[in-house]
Amino acid sequence: MDILSLLPPWLLTHGVALLVVLPLLAGAAMAVIPRERIAWTITFMVMLICMLCALTLALQVIDQGRLSYKMGGWEPPYGIEYVVDALSAPVLLLISAMAVICLFYASPSVKAEVEPKKRAAFYGAFLICAAGLLGMVVTGDAFNVFVFLEVSSISTYVLVAMGHSRDRRALRAAYDYLILGSIGATFFVIGIGFLYMETGTLNMADMSNILDGLDGGSRVAQVGFAFIVIGLGLKLAMFPLHMWLPGAYAHAPSFVTIFLASTATKAALYLLLRFAFTIFDLSFDYVVTILSQFVLVLAVVGMVFASIQAIFQTDVRRVLAFSSIAQVGYILLGLSFLTLSGLTASYVHLINHAFIKGGLFLAVGAMWYRFGITRVADFRGLSKTMPWTMSAFTISGLSLIGVPLTAGFVSKLQLATAAWERGYGWAVGVILFSSILALVYIGRILRVAYFETPPQINGVEVLKNEAPLIMLIPMWILAILSIVIGINAGWVVDAAGRAAELLIPTQMIGRGL
Amino acid sequence: MSGHIILDLGLISMLLVIAFAIIRMRSLFAVVMLQGVYSLVCAAWFVSLDAVDVAFTEAAVGAGVSTVLMLAAMLLADRQSDEVSLRRQIAPIIIVIASGLMLFYAIGDMPIYGDANSPANSHVGAGYLDKTAKDIHIPNVVTAVLASYRGFDTFGETVVIFAAGLGVLLLLGLNGNAGKWQACPNGVSIGLGQSPYAQLGEDQPKVSPKAEVATNLPKEKKTIAKKTSQSKGRPRKAVPKGDVS
Amino acid sequence: MNEHGILRVVSKLLIPFIAIFAFYVQFHGDYGPGGGFQAGVILAASVILYALIFGLEAAKSAVPPSWVRFGMAMGVFLYGGTGVATWLLGGEFLNYSVFTPDHPSHGQHYGILLVELGVLLAVASVMLAIFYAFGSRPVNHPGED
Amino acid sequence: MIELLLNLNPGLIIILAGMICAVLPASQIRKLLVIAAPIAGIVSISTLYTDQEVIGGIIEVGRQSFTTLRIDSLSLIWGYIFCVVGVLNGIFGLHEKCQITDSSALIYMGSAIGGVFAGDLLTLFLFWEIAAVSSVPLIWKGGERAYAAGVRYLAIHIFSGVALLAGAIIYGRANGGDFTFGHIGLNAPGGWLILLAMGIKCGFPLLHNWMQDAYPKASITGTVILSAFTTKLAIYALARGFAGEDILIYIGAAMTVFPVFFAVIENDMRRVLSYSLNNQLGYMVCGIGVGTSLAMNGVAGQVAVHIIFKSLLFMSMGAVLYRVGTIKGSELGGLFRSMPLTTVFCLVGAASIAAFPLFAAFVTKAMIISAVIKEHHYVISFILLFASAGVMEHSGIKIPYFTFFSHDSGRRVEEAPWNMLVAMGLASALCLFFAFPFGGYQFLYSLMPYAADYDPYTADHVIFQLQLLFAAIVAFALLKRLRIYPAERRAEIIDFDWTYRKLGLSVVKWLGAMWMRLNAVSANMRDRFAGSLGRKLQQVFSPAGTFSAGSPVNLPYVLTAAMLFICLIGVYIGAS
């Protein structure tokens, strides 16, 4: 790659660590920075640098394959290893790019939603959250995953609770999230502990080798696997473990909801892929059983159930939150096929859904910013009062439904094809049915926005009041991205294909079918 | 060896008794104190398991500071907890038993405690013992692992603690004056109270969201919850105004 | 508070020793159990004890909340800064050996000392911050949130 | 350029335009697109068409290949006419500035065209569903009352799509993975399912309710657009898949007759037109059932002219609704004074549907009826003739009479907006052109799937048709004079042919009553079922429902524990 030769060599070697350390340090700095403007600028710059870092890493991975970085200079099984490969590079890029996009939007949004003197610290919590997510994805050490899971979780609880100046229910939502999230993290760390007991190492690659040598390991490893699946299941909102999600998404500040919806569950999903397919792998029968049956059933039930639940919500953010749970179901469905095409579809949807849901929440946030509304019934006439915002919402909404020429269609088509190839004709039906449900819940919002007249205040119809440009830009970036992927999905599918090949090595293809 | 086992069993049974007492006790003050006791007994048990560093931390944090912090938090709340029906305690018991069963399932294949040939002690663990003496020259291997070999983990943990502090800063403020500021949209509010739907009393959720939460509470509480939540669920006066900043 | 004469005298005597013990734990961490985390907690406990006996305001004037806030950040900075320093010296993040290339183990000693100090600072400040935050809340009537 | 076009279904061009419309706040450009897109469609079809079957746009998805483009003599006429009526609709809707209806109209039109050119059943299914979904906003635009109708419409059409998909999969599997959409026939595996899907869409008796439910409630332009595509796409699919199935003859005959009764009693003029639409579809279904080349030609021609004159009628009623604000027969009347041009256009449409010589349906309907007679289905041909008289009765006379003449309602309104007049004028011109004895109908016949050597303007045909029509007119006048005609009040009397009055009246009465009762019972049951289902769903899923409760309830924890437990059992089973 030509670009790589232009960059300083230092960045190429240390970029992996910089990606995590920089936002962490900047986050710490926010505690003492008094001015909101400076805080925003630093946050923005830091995340921009992170995004560039992630981009160079992604290019390097394409160029050289797996990158490894030895924290503290210690050799891997002893020290902590950071790894970037085809599986993690796109997620890193996704997280950092979404952070940058959200930050555009943050400067007006945070002003409306967060107390003035807390804004700097709020950005600090955001930086730590982003760093935690990046750390979870980039690390090659099982315990380090837990550490960064905690880093991101703790700051996420705080960020969600910051919605209390909008709605006191945010505190309750954050508390729910805290309790369930802590159970998840505890289960996860119990699982890691068991794995350590079984293998005597914390390094993922080392662990994988040792487990292979033990042929899946004893009951200790099996129970560890169950704990890890459930712990991560809580974090990624796998269907019946999703209870924390709607409240958290509905009551957090808009900016936080956007970022969380597009990245947090994705990072946890990445971890599930990482643990289930590379540390454990499909040569162990119990892994195959859990993934191809347990996860499959939950995915299918979740897709339908959460979609139906979304239809009955009165608050738009809750509608979208339940839809997120359903979308997690799609991703898990692809994963549970245990085929290359299934995993590719899953990974494509992981990326696409981040863009789609990010775009939707961005638009909803802008609507709150202007009119203080989040309920479906209050969306009346928004196509006239906020035409550009509503158009962006519509594009992302159509993409969520899976209308052709949008990103959502690409991933659903991939998924349906994968299901077909796997011989799950019924799964195609479920995907279709769930899409119809998506059509109903999105259509319900669109109908109110397009077919009803704007409300009147004191007898005067509400006038056009478009969101500020700086909010429109990010949502249109995502909306256009959605269409671009819909028209030319090659690059996303390629990236996903590379990730899937990493997850199911050639000799493993066909295992568990 | 057998003395050790008796000591361990004694400590475990103490922990169990204290844990049950904490669950059943309704005086919060006593609960806080018992938690301190629990931590202390825990620390003693850790010492008996030769995990001195962990024991030290448990004693300092669990028995020391967190007791004080719990007391400070308790001052802001009632001294008595509400009575918790047994029905509500069933779920935690189920979760504990299920997790416990899973652990028991694994026990059969676990290495014997202190087994020098167990993977945890033979692979990387043994390596640390060798390497610390060679690379770092300090006697306390735990410190070497924490601060150097896995120093980045500790960095992460420091950030976790920092994040907790930042959270306190954000939510409570160091001077106890946070939480009064109210968010408001930058424009005309047409939401909730001002929407014609709300004026007609239509389209309101039949049960307000906060009261849904209370569905499992006893009957008389439900009505109270409904009332308060409705008064709180109302929007604040939305005053059209310019840029908030 | 004036009536608790014995408590006041005893604690005045004890608090300096507690603080010193904290530093002992900190610096003896290389040789025995202990380290930044425990030391930070103990250091915070000494201030908290002071606050419990002499009142929150007195404690706040002795250790102002702004210091606490600063200390939190400084703790992370000290830890992270050590790592950044190793970067600047050409090593990996937190590779202390680059401090003294001739004697890697000396570098490790310095590094461990520095990061443990960072942990101490962060832990002590955060503990105090939490205490201040809870202690300063006006006591509400029960039932209000 | 041709290369690119060869791989592009003309419907996709229009769908793309529709998508652009969805996000384009500037209404002028949108309107331009709305008219330009169908014209582009015409151009693209005419470039693509050759004498042979054109196959292109093959997309490979996994192991499945989708043939998105197939133009042959059968689909050609549908494609053209859809584009033409698209232009007309675009002009008619120029005054309306709604982003979403513009875009959904285009997407809907595009998917109908796409469906016509679809080469395999799966592609057809895709377009079939897109058409269903994209047409719903047109109904919703009709206001509060239309919402529920839209949902019902959507549900029925989605069901139709699912039936089609299921049938297609069964059919394709039985054919070894070949999904090509050719003649299917009822004996093929999955044939009945596919027929059911198409039957729903083209309003087979008892499956037709959605049409009279949704169309009259849709927005003014919405009804015009809706009337053109959905059912004709289904007719195309039937013609392609089930030509020559005898059962269709009887279904078609039933379809032509039963709506007549309702059309006569109905007060809402747009609903009258919906019934008459259903009746017209009956001719086409009947013709498909006969399946000879003459019949198929008749069907194709009938589709073409029917789309035009039905749009014309709906347009004129739309214009009235737009200006007057109501479309109830009892509240209208005497509008010819204030809306003279609309009146003229409406009369042209009425004459066309009634198959007056020199008006559109004359040259096509006769083909179907002669084809039926040629195959010796005399009873059927009699039924069709009777229904023709009925058409004359309700669409040819009733609509213009009660709207524009009758007693004067005293309403003085403006003439319809210019764009509506232009659209109606063009449609009227087409109606006249297609029946024009010198070069007009010949042109229409040249587009038909088979070579047509049929001459509609023979003396006996003209005279017979005129006799039939005048009989109907006399009947109407007589009934009117005798004050039996159930006009402005909702009476139950219906009549069709004065010679058969005594016998017919009682039979018709009985049939109508039974039909009404059946409808009422089924609607009641449907509503009760939907209501209780809805309540149940609400209880479980709504924000106040069982599954939305927050943390103090035990559910999340119990579920977590349960999942852990199940997971462990899974591990145990997997490992052992």
Side-chain angles (χ1 to χ4, degrees), chain A residues 150-174:
Chain A
E150 283 293 282
V151 169
S152 73
S153 298
I154 301 267
S155 46
T156 307
Y157 307 145
V158 175
L159 288 172
V160 170
M162 284 311 285
H164 71 88
S165 48
R166 236 174 93 163
D167 188 339
R168 299 290 284 178
R169 280 176 289 175
L171 294 174
R172 180 48 164 283

mmCIF file of all heavy atoms in Angstrom, chain A residues 150-174:
data_model
loop_
_atom_site.group_PDB
_atom_site.id
_atom_site.type_symbol
_atom_site.label_atom_id
_atom_site.label_comp_id
_atom_site.label_asym_id
_atom_site.label_seq_id
_atom_site.Cartn_x
_atom_site.Cartn_y
_atom_site.Cartn_z
ATOM 1 N N GLU A 150 -14.837 -4.016 31.382
ATOM 2 C CA GLU A 150 -15.212 -3.235 32.561
ATOM 3 C C GLU A 150 -15.026 -1.741 32.293
ATOM 4 O O GLU A 150 -15.861 -0.935 32.667
ATOM 5 C CB GLU A 150 -14.366 -3.660 33.765
ATOM 6 C CG GLU A 150 -14.819 -4.946 34.376
ATOM 7 C CD GLU A 150 -16.192 -4.810 35.019
ATOM 8 O OE1 GLU A 150 -16.280 -4.268 36.125
ATOM 9 O OE2 GLU A 150 -17.172 -5.225 34.394
ATOM 10 N N VAL A 151 -13.903 -1.391 31.667
ATOM 11 C CA VAL A 151 -13.660 0.022 31.370
ATOM 12 C C VAL A 151 -14.831 0.590 30.588
ATOM 13 O O VAL A 151 -15.404 1.628 30.933
ATOM 14 C CB VAL A 151 -12.349 0.197 30.572
ATOM 15 C CG1 VAL A 151 -12.240 1.603 30.033
ATOM 16 C CG2 VAL A 151 -11.151 -0.122 31.441
ATOM 17 N N SER A 152 -15.227 -0.135 29.536
ATOM 18 C CA SER A 152 -16.310 0.401 28.722
ATOM 19 C C SER A 152 -17.628 0.337 29.467
ATOM 20 O O SER A 152 -18.439 1.253 29.387
ATOM 21 C CB SER A 152 -16.399 -0.354 27.399
ATOM 22 O OG SER A 152 -16.928 -1.624 27.607
ATOM 23 N N SER A 153 -17.860 -0.735 30.236
ATOM 24 C CA SER A 153 -19.142 -0.877 30.909
ATOM 25 C C SER A 153 -19.342 0.230 31.939
ATOM 26 O O SER A 153 -20.384 0.887 31.948
ATOM 27 C CB SER A 153 -19.233 -2.218 31.609
ATOM 28 O OG SER A 153 -19.154 -3.242 30.688
ATOM 29 N N ILE A 154 -18.341 0.420 32.796
ATOM 30 C CA ILE A 154 -18.506 1.410 33.867
ATOM 31 C C ILE A 154 -18.815 2.771 33.262
ATOM 32 O O ILE A 154 -19.741 3.473 33.679
ATOM 33 C CB ILE A 154 -17.219 1.502 34.717
ATOM 34 C CG1 ILE A 154 -16.892 0.158 35.335
ATOM 35 C CG2 ILE A 154 -17.356 2.600 35.751
ATOM 36 C CD1 ILE A 154 -17.409 -0.091 36.685
ATOM 37 N N SER A 155 -18.052 3.130 32.235
ATOM 38 C CA SER A 155 -18.302 4.449 31.667
ATOM 39 C C SER A 155 -19.649 4.482 30.947
ATOM 40 O O SER A 155 -20.324 5.510 30.934
ATOM 41 C CB SER A 155 -17.172 4.855 30.722
ATOM 42 O OG SER A 155 -16.862 3.793 29.881
ATOM 43 N N THR A 156 -20.066 3.339 30.399
ATOM 44 C CA THR A 156 -21.370 3.319 29.742
ATOM 45 C C THR A 156 -22.493 3.536 30.742
ATOM 46 O O THR A 156 -23.444 4.269 30.467
ATOM 47 C CB THR A 156 -21.587 1.975 29.021
ATOM 48 O OG1 THR A 156 -20.491 1.731 28.173
ATOM 49 C CG2 THR A 156 -22.846 2.013 28.214
ATOM 50 N N TYR A 157 -22.394 2.882 31.909
ATOM 51 C CA TYR A 157 -23.440 3.085 32.913
ATOM 52 C C TYR A 157 -23.569 4.572 33.228
ATOM 53 O O TYR A 157 -24.659 5.116 33.329
ATOM 54 C CB TYR A 157 -23.131 2.325 34.210
ATOM 55 C CG TYR A 157 -22.838 0.855 34.034
ATOM 56 C CD1 TYR A 157 -21.902 0.205 34.832
ATOM 57 C CD2 TYR A 157 -23.502 0.105 33.073
ATOM 58 C CE1 TYR A 157 -21.626 -1.136 34.678
ATOM 59 C CE2 TYR A 157 -23.227 -1.239 32.915
ATOM 60 C CZ TYR A 157 -22.286 -1.852 33.706
ATOM 61 O OH TYR A 157 -22.009 -3.178 33.544
ATOM 62 N N VAL A 158 -22.408 5.211 33.393
ATOM 63 C CA VAL A 158 -22.422 6.636 33.723
ATOM 64 C C VAL A 158 -23.060 7.432 32.592
ATOM 65 O O VAL A 158 -23.915 8.292 32.813
ATOM 66 C CB VAL A 158 -20.987 7.130 33.980
ATOM 67 C CG1 VAL A 158 -20.988 8.620 34.201
ATOM 68 C CG2 VAL A 158 -20.384 6.406 35.146
ATOM 69 N N LEU A 159 -22.644 7.103 31.375
ATOM 70 C CA LEU A 159 -23.165 7.861 30.233
ATOM 71 C C LEU A 159 -24.671 7.700 30.121
ATOM 72 O O LEU A 159 -25.388 8.658 29.842
ATOM 73 C CB LEU A 159 -22.483 7.387 28.945
ATOM 74 C CG LEU A 159 -21.025 7.790 28.781
ATOM 75 C CD1 LEU A 159 -20.421 7.097 27.582
ATOM 76 C CD2 LEU A 159 -20.910 9.293 28.604
ATOM 77 N N VAL A 160 -25.153 6.487 30.340
ATOM 78 C CA VAL A 160 -26.601 6.275 30.263
ATOM 79 C C VAL A 160 -27.300 7.088 31.346
ATOM 80 O O VAL A 160 -28.305 7.754 31.101
ATOM 81 C CB VAL A 160 -26.939 4.779 30.393
ATOM 82 C CG1 VAL A 160 -28.435 4.585 30.565
ATOM 83 C CG2 VAL A 160 -26.466 4.020 29.178
ATOM 84 N N ALA A 161 -26.728 7.044 32.536
ATOM 85 C CA ALA A 161 -27.366 7.765 33.644
ATOM 86 C C ALA A 161 -27.383 9.264 33.394
ATOM 87 O O ALA A 161 -28.210 9.981 33.947
ATOM 88 C CB ALA A 161 -26.640 7.464 34.949
ATOM 89 N N MET A 162 -26.484 9.749 32.539
ATOM 90 C CA MET A 162 -26.456 11.189 32.259
ATOM 91 C C MET A 162 -27.728 11.654 31.554
ATOM 92 O O MET A 162 -27.979 12.846 31.441
ATOM 93 C CB MET A 162 -25.247 11.549 31.392
ATOM 94 C CG MET A 162 -23.938 11.579 32.131
ATOM 95 S SD MET A 162 -24.018 12.511 33.637
ATOM 96 C CE MET A 162 -24.012 14.160 32.987
ATOM 97 N N GLY A 163 -28.520 10.701 31.097
ATOM 98 C CA GLY A 163 -29.799 11.095 30.505
ATOM 99 C C GLY A 163 -30.773 11.628 31.543
ATOM 100 O O GLY A 163 -31.866 12.042 31.194
ATOM 101 N N HIS A 164 -30.369 11.636 32.808
ATOM 102 C CA HIS A 164 -31.338 12.011 33.845
ATOM 103 C C HIS A 164 -31.773 13.456 33.756
ATOM 104 O O HIS A 164 -32.834 13.812 34.264
ATOM 105 C CB HIS A 164 -30.767 11.711 35.236
ATOM 106 C CG HIS A 164 -29.668 12.621 35.644
ATOM 107 N ND1 HIS A 164 -29.910 13.810 36.275
ATOM 108 C CD2 HIS A 164 -28.336 12.545 35.507
ATOM 109 C CE1 HIS A 164 -28.753 14.405 36.511
ATOM 110 N NE2 HIS A 164 -27.796 13.669 36.048
ATOM 111 N N SER A 165 -30.979 14.300 33.103
ATOM 112 C CA SER A 165 -31.451 15.686 33.018
ATOM 113 C C SER A 165 -32.546 15.822 31.960
ATOM 114 O O SER A 165 -33.185 16.847 31.850
ATOM 115 C CB SER A 165 -30.295 16.635 32.725
ATOM 116 O OG SER A 165 -29.529 16.163 31.670
ATOM 117 N N ARG A 166 -32.730 14.767 31.185
ATOM 118 C CA ARG A 166 -33.830 14.749 30.228
ATOM 119 C C ARG A 166 -35.018 14.033 30.821
ATOM 120 O O ARG A 166 -36.144 14.424 30.645
ATOM 121 C CB ARG A 166 -33.374 13.982 28.986
ATOM 122 C CG ARG A 166 -33.492 14.748 27.725
ATOM 123 C CD ARG A 166 -32.882 13.933 26.624
ATOM 124 N NE ARG A 166 -33.903 13.141 25.968
ATOM 125 C CZ ARG A 166 -33.727 12.594 24.777
ATOM 126 N NH1 ARG A 166 -32.594 12.766 24.135
ATOM 127 N NH2 ARG A 166 -34.672 11.890 24.228
ATOM 128 N N ASP A 167 -34.707 12.954 31.478
ATOM 129 C CA ASP A 167 -35.772 12.079 31.951
ATOM 130 C C ASP A 167 -35.218 11.295 33.142
ATOM 131 O O ASP A 167 -34.194 10.633 33.023
ATOM 132 C CB ASP A 167 -36.150 11.125 30.808
ATOM 133 C CG ASP A 167 -37.386 10.320 31.145
ATOM 134 O OD1 ASP A 167 -37.699 10.206 32.345
ATOM 135 O OD2 ASP A 167 -38.030 9.819 30.218
ATOM 136 N N ARG A 168 -35.910 11.397 34.271
ATOM 137 C CA ARG A 168 -35.376 10.744 35.464
ATOM 138 C C ARG A 168 -35.299 9.235 35.305
ATOM 139 O O ARG A 168 -34.576 8.565 36.045
ATOM 140 C CB ARG A 168 -36.267 11.068 36.675
ATOM 141 C CG ARG A 168 -36.343 12.517 36.997
ATOM 142 C CD ARG A 168 -35.062 13.059 37.546
ATOM 143 N NE ARG A 168 -34.834 12.674 38.931
ATOM 144 C CZ ARG A 168 -33.749 13.000 39.614
ATOM 145 N NH1 ARG A 168 -32.799 13.692 39.034
ATOM 146 N NH2 ARG A 168 -33.609 12.622 40.843
ATOM 147 N N ARG A 169 -36.049 8.706 34.392
ATOM 148 C CA ARG A 169 -36.035 7.257 34.231
ATOM 149 C C ARG A 169 -34.671 6.748 33.778
ATOM 150 O O ARG A 169 -34.387 5.560 33.875
ATOM 151 C CB ARG A 169 -37.103 6.824 33.222
ATOM 152 C CG ARG A 169 -38.472 6.765 33.818
ATOM 153 C CD ARG A 169 -39.494 6.440 32.772
ATOM 154 N NE ARG A 169 -39.701 7.549 31.865
ATOM 155 C CZ ARG A 169 -40.474 7.496 30.797
ATOM 156 N NH1 ARG A 169 -41.093 6.387 30.499
ATOM 157 N NH2 ARG A 169 -40.638 8.548 30.023
ATOM 158 N N ALA A 170 -33.833 7.665 33.289
ATOM 159 C CA ALA A 170 -32.498 7.257 32.867
ATOM 160 C C ALA A 170 -31.743 6.619 34.021
ATOM 161 O O ALA A 170 -30.983 5.676 33.829
ATOM 162 C CB ALA A 170 -31.735 8.454 32.338
ATOM 163 N N LEU A 171 -31.959 7.141 35.235
ATOM 164 C CA LEU A 171 -31.231 6.592 36.378
ATOM 165 C C LEU A 171 -31.624 5.144 36.592
ATOM 166 O O LEU A 171 -30.782 4.279 36.813
ATOM 167 C CB LEU A 171 -31.542 7.412 37.629
ATOM 168 C CG LEU A 171 -31.021 8.841 37.582
ATOM 169 C CD1 LEU A 171 -31.499 9.618 38.783
ATOM 170 C CD2 LEU A 171 -29.510 8.840 37.518
ATOM 171 N N ARG A 172 -32.912 4.902 36.484
ATOM 172 C CA ARG A 172 -33.377 3.540 36.662
ATOM 173 C C ARG A 172 -32.819 2.632 35.564
ATOM 174 O O ARG A 172 -32.375 1.505 35.823
ATOM 175 C CB ARG A 172 -34.901 3.554 36.628
ATOM 176 C CG ARG A 172 -35.538 2.215 36.805
ATOM 177 C CD ARG A 172 -34.897 1.531 37.986
ATOM 178 N NE ARG A 172 -35.683 0.423 38.431
ATOM 179 C CZ ARG A 172 -36.781 0.535 39.145
ATOM 180 N NH1 ARG A 172 -37.258 1.711 39.476
ATOM 181 N NH2 ARG A 172 -37.419 -0.526 39.542
ATOM 182 N N ALA A 173 -32.833 3.157 34.345
ATOM 183 C CA ALA A 173 -32.318 2.358 33.228
ATOM 184 C C ALA A 173 -30.848 2.034 33.445
ATOM 185 O O ALA A 173 -30.403 0.901 33.231
ATOM 186 C CB ALA A 173 -32.514 3.119 31.922
ATOM 187 N N ALA A 174 -30.094 3.043 33.890
ATOM 188 C CA ALA A 174 -28.665 2.821 34.112
ATOM 189 C C ALA A 174 -28.464 1.785 35.211
ATOM 190 O O ALA A 174 -27.566 0.946 35.134
ATOM 191 C CB ALA A 174 -27.993 4.133 34.489
#
